Amino acid sequence: MQDTAGTWLMTALTASPLLIALMQTAASLPVLFLGLPAGATADIFDRRRLLIFWQAWMLATVALLSALTIFGIVSPATLLVLTFLLNVGSAMNNPAWQAIVPELVPRAELPDAIALNSAGFNLARAVGPALGGLTVAVFTSARVGAAVVFLMNSASFLAVIFVLYGWKRTPLFESALPAERIFGSMRSGVRYVRHSAALRAILLRAFLFTGFASAVWALLPVVARQDLGAGAMGYGLLNGCLGLGAVVGAILLPRLRRKMPAEWMLAGAGAIFTGTLMILALTSNIPLIVIWLVAAGCAWTTTTSTLNIAVQLSVSAWVQARALGIYQMVFAGGMALGSALWGMIAKGASIQTALLAAAAGMAIGVPVALRFPLLRGVPPDLSPYRFPRAPQPVLEPDPEEGPILIIIEYRIRQSDKNEFMRAVHAARTQRLRDGAIRWGAFQDIAQPERFIETFVMESWLEFLRARERMTSADRVIRDRVRSFHQGDEEPRVSRMIYARETGP
């Protein structure tokens, strides 16, 4: 309701397609800049308290927008700024909100829980735009109707705060070590993405899809007003068709996921959006547009839920909110940049040109995305692995002291060399992902059966964090490497701290 009323109020304040399209940019841009910091804070601080704070932020922002609109002092610039601030709260809220889902259901039920969560969200998307359009249309002016919607939205945050206040949270992952600092947490999140091929593929596909699909949301209000001659109620119903299709998609998704690969579903969703963009550009036949908007809503839920499931099944609990923050940052970045691009093309050329250009880009993007497959087969076991004992150094380093050099010595048959090197390079990705700043594997030219794996951690605390972050899937990789080691004893492990020059 908020999005519909805000966008329609902008169409009443200005006829500029660029300013109208910038409403979508104002809604998406905060996540582009704040997704990673939001994920970092959600992985460091108590998520329940964070959610309560940002819900209160959004309540205050919408209440101010409502007051300004009621008194008739809202302008396009004010509306854009307050919409931006509202979505700052949403951007900081979302990673923590998404990350609590695994705390509420068993991991085996996570895909269906995410689909059910999408169904609830998209039911609101189906009903909300129609209610928002109806509320605006009931009043004699768009300004008064929009003000009422804003006031209702501000009150709705009170219910969410009440539920969060009563929630007794049980975190999945609790570190026994000191919490990371914000910038260190952000850096480790980026490092995790850099060394996770599965996560990088998801992010690329999200950016490609949203960049072109954003044209539907950015230009639909302009199409409704200028091409179809629809009012606020008509626009709300058209937007509601997208939400209705999204609900249908969420209901069908569990069944579709069991019957066909994720790649097929995403390719089909891309084809549907291509057709929808072309229909919006080439026809004013409302029944035909309604059918394709419902199909596009179904394709939207299929894509977003599939990508969200893939993210949550591909990352460890300690970095989950950061991964979701980066995912949402890329997702919203595609929406924000795409909306601005299609708005500029619509202003410089025509609405039809912008829609057809987006359709062509989506059609090209589908086969390109297939080159970056999603997570396949049984998801890895990312439950934390608990070492039977902690290292007991004779020289106890200060937690921030470092760097720390770890040397692991193996005895490997020459006949096993190739297999061992493949296995140890799989371990390299895990070492770098979890905090190593340098890694190497070497063979002794004097004793060819002697191999050394080395990696460097920034500090003793980072080394302890890396041990804490090891998952059961990482343990399988580690055991695979050590299976090639010859001898009755375990591979020899040395942990060495950088020796600095001391004074006389």
Side-chain angles (χ1 to χ4, degrees):
M1 291 177 69
Q2 172 76 32
D3 291 345
T4 302
T7 304
W8 197 255
L9 177 60
M10 181 62 83
T11 66
L13 295 174
T14 179
S16 169
L18 177 58
L19 286 175
I20 296 170
L22 283 176
M23 284 294 289
Q24 182 66 52
T25 301
S28 303
L29 205 59
V31 185
L32 179 62
F33 293 107
L34 298 177
L36 181 55
T41 56
D43 277 330
I44 295 174
F45 302 111
D46 181 76
R47 290 171 185 168
R48 174 178 160 275
R49 294 182 180 180
L50 277 177
L51 289 172
I52 291 174
F53 174 82
W54 290 113
Q55 292 288 321
W57 169 287
M58 290 185 281
L59 186 157
T61 303
V62 181
L64 176 59
L65 177 59
S66 175
L68 293 177
T69 307
I70 288 173
F71 290 108
I73 52 178
V74 68
S75 65
T78 305
L79 181 57
L80 281 173
V81 168
L82 288 175
T83 299
F84 180 83
L85 291 177
L86 170 64
N87 285 280
V88 166
S90 180
M92 295 300 294
N93 176 85
N94 285 346
W97 190 270
Q98 293 280 345
I100 66 173
V101 176
E103 298 180 18
L104 304 176
V105 299
R107 188 173 179 84
E109 297 177 11
L110 187 58
D112 287 342
I114 293 172
L116 184 60
N117 194 33
S118 296
F121 179 79
N122 287 299
L123 180 60
R125 287 186 65 117
V127 177
L131 289 178
L134 177 62
T135 304
V136 173
V138 163
F139 295 88
T140 55
S141 73
R143 178 180 60 80
V144 176
V148 171
V149 173
F150 299 156
L151 187 61
M152 294 168 62
N153 189 31
S154 64
S156 73
F157 288 109
L158 292 173
V160 182
I161 292 171
F162 175 78
V163 172
L164 288 169
Y165 183 79
W167 175 38
K168 306 302 181 184
R169 179 177 177 240
T170 304
L172 288 177
F173 177 82
E174 288 188 284
S175 175
L177 301 171
E180 293 180 271
R181 296 182 177 91
I182 292 293
F183 288 107
S185 179
M186 292 168 57
R187 187 175 58 176
S188 63
V190 172
R191 182 182 61 227
Y192 192 99
V193 172
R194 179 184 174 190
H195 295 289
S196 174
L199 196 51
R200 291 198 308 272
I202 296 168
L203 298 179
L204 177 63
R205 297 186 74 140
F207 185 79
L208 286 174
F209 177 77
T210 55
F212 299 114
S214 63
V216 173
W217 279 269
L219 299 178
L220 185 60
V222 187
V223 172
R225 178 181 282 272
Q226 297 184 12
D227 293 355
L228 303 180
M233 183 62 182
Y235 168 62
L237 290 173
L238 289 174
N239 216 337
C241 290
L242 287 164
L244 176 62
V247 172
V248 173
I251 294 172
L252 295 178
L253 182 60
R255 188 179 305 171
L256 290 173
R257 197 174 59 247
R258 286 189 286 269
K259 291 186 175 180
M260 67 177 64
E263 303 290 354
W264 293 11
M265 291 193 294
L266 295 185
I272 289 172
F273 259 92
T274 301
T276 302
L277 290 163
M278 294 179 66
I279 290 296
L280 289 175
L282 300 176
T283 183
S284 298
N285 186 312
I286 293 180
L288 187 60
I289 290 174
V290 165
I291 291 171
W292 277 93
L293 287 176
V294 171
C298 184
W300 177 263
T301 295
T302 299
T303 301
T304 56
S305 295
T306 299
L307 293 175
N308 194 299
I309 290 168
V311 170
Q312 299 214 35
L313 294 181
S314 300
V315 299
S316 305
W318 66 270
V319 75
Q320 189 168 59
R322 274 164 283 187
L324 286 166
I326 293 172
Y327 164 71
Q328 292 178 24
M329 181 173 66
V330 171
F331 199 95
M335 292 293 288
L337 296 176
S339 296
L341 174 62
W342 310 127
M344 287 188 290
I345 294 176
K347 183 179 181 180
S350 68
I351 299 171
Q352 288 72 26
T353 301
L355 289 167
L356 289 174
M362 181 69 78
I364 296 171
V366 169
V368 171
L370 291 175
R371 296 173 59 88
F372 301 91
L374 297 179
L375 191 65
R376 294 174 176 172
V378 179
D381 183 359
L382 299 179
S383 58
Y385 173 77
R386 303 299 182 188
F387 283 92
R389 60 184 182 276
Q392 301 294 326
V394 175
L395 175 64
E396 185 69 40
D398 183 88
E400 299 295 338
E401 197 173 356
I404 305 296
L405 171 65
I406 296 90
I407 303 173
I408 308 176
E409 183 176 335
Y410 304 94
R411 296 285 172 172
I412 307 297
R413 294 193 189 96
Q414 288 302 295
S415 59
D416 292 335
K417 176 182 176 180
N418 291 338
E419 289 294 323
F420 169 75
M421 293 309 298
R422 278 192 286 270
V424 82
H425 273 81
R428 169 187 180 274
T429 300
Q430 178 253 319
R431 308 280 195 205
L432 294 172
R433 185 198 65 201
D434 289 351
I437 57 177
R438 191 167 65 247
W439 180 93
F442 304 90
Q443 182 178 16
D444 192 333
I445 57 175
Q447 304 177 58
E449 73 283 357
R450 181 171 177 259
F451 287 78
I452 300 293
E453 179 191 5
T454 71
F455 55 99
V456 177
M457 310 297 292
E458 283 188 344
S459 66
W460 181 247
L461 182 58
E462 281 299 306
F463 167 72
L464 295 177
R465 284 189 178 128
R467 286 173 58 86
E468 194 178 63
R469 291 166 179 170
M470 179 172 279
T471 66
S472 297
D474 297 332
R475 173 70 182 191
V476 171
I477 295 174
R478 177 178 178 268
D479 290 346
R480 168 71 175 163
V481 173
R482 295 194 172 201
S483 68
F484 294 99
H485 176 70
Q486 301 300 307
D488 296 331
E489 297 181 354
E490 289 287 310
R492 182 180 176 184
V493 180
S494 300
R495 303 175 184 93
M496 309 182 73
I497 190 167
Y498 182 74
R500 302 184 185 279
E501 182 180 5
T502 59

